Amino acid sequence: MDRLIQANGQPHFGIFAEAPGLINHRDFDFRSPMGRRLGSLAKWRRFHQFQYFGLISDQLIGGCALADLSLAGVGFVYLFHPPSGRMLERQFKLPLGLGTRFSQRPDDGICQLRSGRNLLRLENLGASREKRLLVELDDGLRIDARFSESEPGFQPMCLNTPTAVNGWTYAQKVAGVRCSGRVSSSLGDFDLAAIDAFAHHDWTAGYMRPQTHWNWACLSGQAAGRRVGLNLSCGVNETSFTENCYWLDGELIKVDTVRFAFDREQPLQPWAIDSHDGQVALRFEARGLHRQRSNLGILASDFKQVFGRFCGVLRPAGRDQVVIDNLWGFVEDQYVKW
């Protein structure tokens, strides 16, 4: 599919075998809930986009996100060192997205934020099917990490769902892939291939609900000699289709709806995550937390990303179950007004 929005102004919906070439949101026939056609200003204000790159290993856990919220460009990066329990965090907010750049090509483009001598950059390299994260901060922290989707048979989860009465959300997820590169920081210097790091990636854009909430779970690693990745969510991308899935040695396996059972006021307490079809039964024990809270009136966010260990089972239909035994990963609880 070359473009997500069709000639009649309506999006393609469904789960796709591959990503659209362009998220041409400006061609969307955007209307009010009562059917009035909306102009370019409303399209700019209501369109939001974000991208996330995560790292997982026993020695180092990290995450970097960039978001275009129309009224602001935001980004964060953090590193957590499990052996010592030490953590580094930086956050950036730029009014009207000044100093940011966002491509609408999920598999071939650059998204970046530059603030003074600080750079957060996410590259999607079409020719090589690589995803690259480059972070250079004024305190000396540097991350140069990448992974490839070029292995035969690997398929990312790509889907577009109706959102509320007049919107849509395109999401593209990857997990369970090996990561290479280097990290230099006050926590130490790390060769990501040498510490057997895995990566996960999220590229999302669309006309989302003005107020929304979601839970998310992701893990990547090795289980019973197999590469395993997991992507589960509840609260977004669940209209007609869901993004829930896991990967076994790069093979995408679809999952039904899921339930997250946890205490919102105590996110470091254990979580239980189970799918309606019985394929997923996991328990999560927290080890650390990255949190951002802001309330600017028209923009607000309460974001909790918790990293820790998963235990439980995956039960692919007609196959032996896969035991998940203390694999590192993430859960998330987020409320957004935008």
Side-chain angles (χ1 to χ4, degrees), residues 76-335:
F76 70 77
V77 59
Y78 71 85
L79 292 173
F80 174 69
H81 185 230
S84 68
R86 297 174 59 204
M87 185 169 177
L88 305 175
E89 300 178 84
R90 291 287 295 273
Q91 302 175 16
F92 302 93
K93 297 179 182 178
L94 303 179
L96 300 177
L98 300 174
T100 65
R101 169 186 175 187
F102 286 87
S103 168
Q104 273 76 61
R105 295 185 178 275
D107 279 344
D108 192 11
I110 293 171
C111 297
Q112 73 174 33
L113 178 152
R114 187 180 291 276
S115 176
R117 295 189 296 114
N118 301 293
L119 173 69
L120 309 180
R121 180 181 176 99
L122 287 156
E123 302 177 5
N124 301 297
L125 307 174
S128 61
R129 296 193 65 191
E130 279 191 329
K131 310 290 187 186
R132 182 192 183 204
L133 168 64
L134 178 63
V135 175
E136 296 176 334
L137 300 187
D138 55 13
D139 60 6
L141 185 148
R142 190 174 194 276
I143 303 172
D144 189 351
R146 66 183 66 210
F147 69 87
S148 176
E149 301 176 349
S150 62
E151 68 176 83
F154 183 85
Q155 181 183 349
M157 168 54 72
C158 305
L159 81 162
N160 193 44
T161 59
T163 303
V165 67
N166 62 340
W168 48 267
T169 303
Y170 174 78
Q172 184 169 323
K173 307 293 184 80
V174 172
V177 290
R178 293 191 183 278
C179 185
S180 62
R182 300 195 67 86
V183 174
S184 299
S185 73
S186 60
L187 299 177
D189 296 336
F190 302 88
D191 181 315
L192 295 174
I195 64 174
D196 200 23
F198 282 74
H200 53 277
H201 186 262
D202 177 352
W203 198 106
T204 296
Y207 291 85
M208 306 172 198
R209 296 180 184 90
Q211 292 194 58
T212 190
H213 167 263
W214 66 77
N215 296 125
W216 175 64
C218 178
L219 66 79
S220 292
Q222 196 87 3
R226 310 188 72 176
R227 285 183 295 107
V228 178
L230 176 85
N231 178 83
L232 303 174
S233 76
C234 182
V236 69
N237 288 328
E238 292 177 326
T239 309
S240 304
F241 312 92
T242 80
E243 66 180 64
N244 299 325
C245 64
Y246 56 92
W247 290 264
L248 296 179
D249 292 327
E251 178 190 359
L252 176 66
I253 299 173
K254 191 71 182 66
V255 175
D256 201 345
T257 54
V258 295
R259 179 175 183 268
F260 290 72
F262 68 104
D263 186 339
R264 288 202 71 203
E265 301 306 314
Q266 300 185 76
L268 295 178
Q269 292 299 307
W271 295 46
I273 304 163
D274 298 276
S275 66
H276 178 72
D277 60 13
Q279 285 197 78
V280 176
L282 295 173
R283 301 298 176 266
F284 176 83
E285 296 284 343
R287 295 292 186 272
L289 170 68
H290 169 73
R291 183 167 194 174
Q292 292 180 259
R293 300 185 75 179
S294 63
N295 189 351
L296 305 177
I298 56 175
L299 295 176
S301 174
D302 186 2
F303 171 63
K304 299 183 284 286
Q305 188 174 87
V306 188
F307 34 90
R309 290 184 180 271
F310 286 91
C311 291
V313 294
L314 304 177
R315 303 186 183 100
R319 311 188 203 180
D320 293 338
Q321 70 178 19
V322 178
V323 176
I324 304 300
D325 184 15
N326 280 315
L327 278 187
W328 284 99
F330 301 81
V331 294
E332 191 170 281
D333 181 44
Q334 177 153 16
Y335 161 77

